[in-house]
Amino acid sequence: MRVNCKIVVIAVCFGVFLLLYFFGGNAADEPPLKEVEEDNSYQSSYELGNKVASKLIIKSHDELHVPPKQQLTERSKERKVINIGRNVNAKSRPRADARRPVSRHARGEEIMHLAVVTCGNRLDETLTMVKSALLFSIKKIKFHIFAEDPLASQFEKELNQWPRAVSAKFQYSIYPITFSVGNAEEWKKLFKPCAAQRLFLPVILKEVDSLLYVDTDVLFLRPMDAIWAFLKAFNSTQLAAMAPEHEIPKIGWYSRFARHPFYGVTGVNSGVMLMNLTRIRSTLFENSMIPGGLSWENLLHPLYQKYKNHITWGDQDLLNIIFHYNPECIYIFPCQWNYRPDHCMYGSNCKGAEDEGVSILHGNRGVYHDDKQPAFKVVYDAIHDFPFEDNLFQSLFYPLQTKFLETVNTLCGRLPQVFLKQVEKTMRTMYEKKVVHRGKPPQK
Ligand SMILES: *[C@@H]1O[C@H](CO)[C@@H](O)[C@H](O)[C@H]1NC(C)=O
Ligand SMILES: *[C@@H]1O[C@H](CO)[C@@H](O)[C@H](O)[C@H]1NC(C)=O
């Protein structure tokens, strides 16, 4: 009898537990759907907008130039856009959202900031970089484009012609080239026209917390979100992240020729540079001139004065000098995040790219525009020629793969997986999302 009672009690407890579990489990699935529905109503998105706004006050006043209501419409517009290249079925969109965790909505969307400096005839190249960032990225991007005069209006014209589905995924500001300290003409001459501008980003973009700076000849083969995530991996003293200038000291430029201090064994390359501007603005940097350190803003000009006769690569050399004296401030990411001809033209020396493929391609030495390294050029051409609204696999990846096979006899084309592995993975992820999304039978 007693035993029976016990069994009944246990069974009842178990039943209650199952019920709780079931409801609890369901509850965990439900709210996002509700939230998405609510999001579309004015009230709650407005609240959400406010939440985002208050977050942005701390982070960036920039976004606040958009009045809350407008922000709202932009935000809901954005929600209707999935990744470019899918034939978006607007009705099924909320379901895709619904499967995401709650927190993503509740916290509001973080905006990624991407800065580029462009002069001369770099319009097309820069637009292709911007396009590659937009094709694969998940979070919204704000572009900060520093451009010489005739270019600025051309940019605006081109960007405004992009399809609506694309323009909902980004915002942009165009700025003139300006130098806050020292002699502007001297700074402009320092490197390629206007490249020294990047040193002044922390001073000019005072409202931006963090950004990714890239050269115009950079292409994203993977969502920008992935490199953005390195910002969160910084320890308490790190404020910038770059890749080594070279993998092999014996053939690296700095290790052989530099007549000034530089970071680490081979120096760093500044073509892809993550910066926590908030930290850069609040840090005193050690240097060889003034004990106790100088703020970034006050450091640049004396540093330039001291080293100008010893530097070859302009502002990248200044960055190397700064991080030589402040090594605890830099985070080094591996070469597949800034993959250059140097990584393959003397034989393959970027292990990370061999293993997982290139994440960010950096076609310096003008390789997108001549025939010296066709492996780089075919990637550039594929992205450049991709018609925005088409299927990514059909109109980007397959043609790229076919063209790439023609380069396998060149030094850089020898290992196709280096160039193709990551981009294929990116495409596959996007494609699978679409198939799951479409192929799923309507529930209940
Ligand atoms: C940048 O650093 C500041 C100050 O440490 C921090 O509050 C902020 O969250 C950092 N930004 C990112 C994107 O990690
Ligand atoms: C952060 O990392 C850098 C290099 O990886 C190191 O030099 C520095 O000491 C670290 N900072 C802290 C506070 O641990």
Side-chain angles (χ1 to χ4, degrees):
M1 211 29 192
R2 270 202 204 136
V3 177
N4 271 354
C5 273
K6 266 189 192 164
I7 290 177
V8 169
V9 169
I10 290 172
V12 169
C13 286
F14 187 63
V16 169
F17 174 77
L18 273 183
L19 277 176
L20 281 176
Y21 182 80
F22 185 72
F23 277 112
N26 256 5
D29 285 344
E30 288 295 324
L33 191 59
K34 270 194 203 136
E35 207 197 342
V36 169
E37 280 161 10
E38 275 171 17
D39 257 10
N40 292 334
S41 74
Y42 178 77
Q43 186 73 30
S44 65
S45 341
Y46 184 69
E47 275 164 22
L48 193 64
N50 274 349
K51 257 188 234 160
V52 174
S54 53
K55 216 175 161 184
L56 288 176
I57 286 177
I58 309 164
K59 283 198 153 185
S60 150
H61 287 285
D62 240 56
E63 273 62 52
L64 294 181
H65 294 171
V66 188
K69 254 196 191 174
Q70 198 182 326
Q71 223 176 50
L72 207 183
T73 35
E74 272 186 28
R75 291 168 49 75
S76 38
K77 227 196 292 165
E78 182 200 12
R79 205 158 280 130
K80 296 214 179 70
V81 181
I82 317 187
N83 298 302
I84 307 141
R86 302 181 192 183
N87 294 323
V88 178
N89 177 347
K91 268 188 204 152
S92 50
R93 173 64 172 159
R95 280 197 177 273
D97 263 8
R99 268 181 263 120
R100 288 195 208 142
V102 195
S103 50
R104 265 188 78 149
H105 282 293
R107 266 190 264 124
E109 296 132 284
E110 187 191 358
I111 292 189
M112 303 185 288
H113 293 262
L114 183 59
V116 65
V117 181
T118 177
C119 291
N121 58 357
R122 301 291 185 131
L123 178 74
D124 230 29
E125 191 177 271
T126 310
L127 284 167
T128 309
M129 180 280 289
V130 168
K131 185 176 177 183
S132 75
L134 286 171
L135 282 179
F136 314 124
S137 295
I138 300 157
K139 286 195 280 285
K140 203 167 175 174
I141 305 177
K142 163 99 189 218
F143 293 97
H144 301 270
I145 300 169
F146 291 81
E148 270 182 333
D149 224 358
L151 283 183
S153 53
Q154 288 164 353
F155 260 110
E156 220 167 325
K157 190 167 153 250
E158 295 280 338
L159 290 176
N160 290 340
Q161 281 171 5
W162 283 4
R164 264 176 83 87
V166 183
S167 51
K169 280 191 78 183
F170 72 98
Q171 308 168 352
Y172 69 91
S173 296
I174 298 179
Y175 313 80
I177 307 290
T178 48
F179 296 96
S180 59
V181 288
N183 180 328
E185 283 312 310
E186 205 170 8
W187 283 116
K188 273 194 201 185
K189 272 187 294 188
L190 177 56
F191 192 34
K192 283 175 273 177
C194 79
Q197 181 74 75
R198 79 184 118 182
L199 295 176
F200 295 89
L201 296 174
V203 183
I204 298 168
L205 300 175
K206 284 218 159 61
E207 273 85 38
V208 178
D209 168 71
S210 295
L211 62 74
L212 176 65
Y213 164 88
V214 293
D215 285 350
T216 56
D217 50 9
V218 156
L219 292 171
F220 293 85
L221 304 187
R222 175 181 182 158
M224 177 185 157
D225 306 60
I227 190 167
W228 191 253
F230 282 122
L231 283 169
K232 301 282 182 238
F234 284 9
N235 68 22
S236 63
T237 49
Q238 287 164 332
L239 45 76
M242 281 177 256
E245 164 64 26
H246 220 287
E247 295 302 304
I248 305 174
K250 251 199 307 193
I251 51 177
W253 194 90
Y254 285 111
S255 36
R256 289 188 295 164
F257 304 120
R259 292 182 294 138
H260 58 77
F262 56 89
Y263 175 83
V265 183
T266 58
V268 284
N269 182 283
S270 56
V272 179
M273 174 167 56
L274 269 173
M275 296 194 266
N276 183 321
L277 303 179
T278 307
R279 290 188 180 183
I280 292 177
R281 285 187 288 260
S282 66
T283 298
L284 289 180
F285 292 86
E286 298 294 332
N287 58 80
S288 56
M289 301 161 297
I290 302 199
L294 283 171
S295 70
W296 186 269
E297 182 166 12
N298 293 329
L299 173 62
L300 294 178
H301 199 247
L303 199 66
Y304 171 65
Q305 287 298 339
K306 172 159 182 183
Y307 291 102
K308 65 177 175 187
N309 296 323
H310 302 279
I311 59 184
T312 309
W313 304 108
D315 57 331
Q316 175 170 300
D317 295 344
L318 293 183
L319 287 164
N320 267 289
I321 297 168
I322 294 174
F323 290 111
H324 170 88
Y325 290 105
N326 301 270
E328 72 287 358
C329 294
I330 193 167
Y331 178 103
I332 299 293
F333 50 69
C335 47
Q336 64 268 34
W337 297 94
N338 182 350
Y339 189 88
R340 282 156 278 135
D342 274 7
H343 291 120
C344 47
M345 56 194 277
Y346 314 107
S348 178
N349 60 41
C350 175
K351 183 76 173 51
E354 286 174 26
D355 293 344
E356 56 179 73
V358 170
S359 296
I360 296 184
L361 193 68
H362 183 182
N364 63 1
R365 301 169 178 262
V367 289
Y368 296 145
H369 312 293
D370 62 24
D371 293 316
K372 294 209 176 95
Q373 299 299 341
F376 283 80
K377 190 172 188 299
V378 295
V379 178
Y380 177 83
D381 289 343
I383 295 176
H384 180 268
D385 298 343
F386 172 69
F388 258 122
E389 309 262 35
D390 269 9
N391 178 301
L392 272 171
F393 241 97
Q394 294 288 340
S395 310
L396 208 170
F397 187 68
Y398 291 146
L400 170 59
Q401 210 174 22
T402 312
K403 286 261 177 60
F404 201 88
L405 291 179
E406 293 163 19
T407 76
V408 292
N409 293 324
T410 68
L411 273 169
C412 286
R414 213 165 40 91
L415 301 170
Q417 81 265 22
V418 167
F419 285 77
L420 299 181
K421 197 169 176 177
Q422 192 57 243
V423 71
E424 179 173 18
K425 200 170 148 196
T426 302
M427 305 271 170
R428 197 170 294 283
T429 312
M430 295 174 77
Y431 181 74
E432 275 165 6
K433 261 196 253 162
K434 176 177 144 189
V435 170
V436 169
H437 187 166
R438 284 250 192 94
K440 208 170 175 175
Q443 286 175 329
K444 284 165 212 168

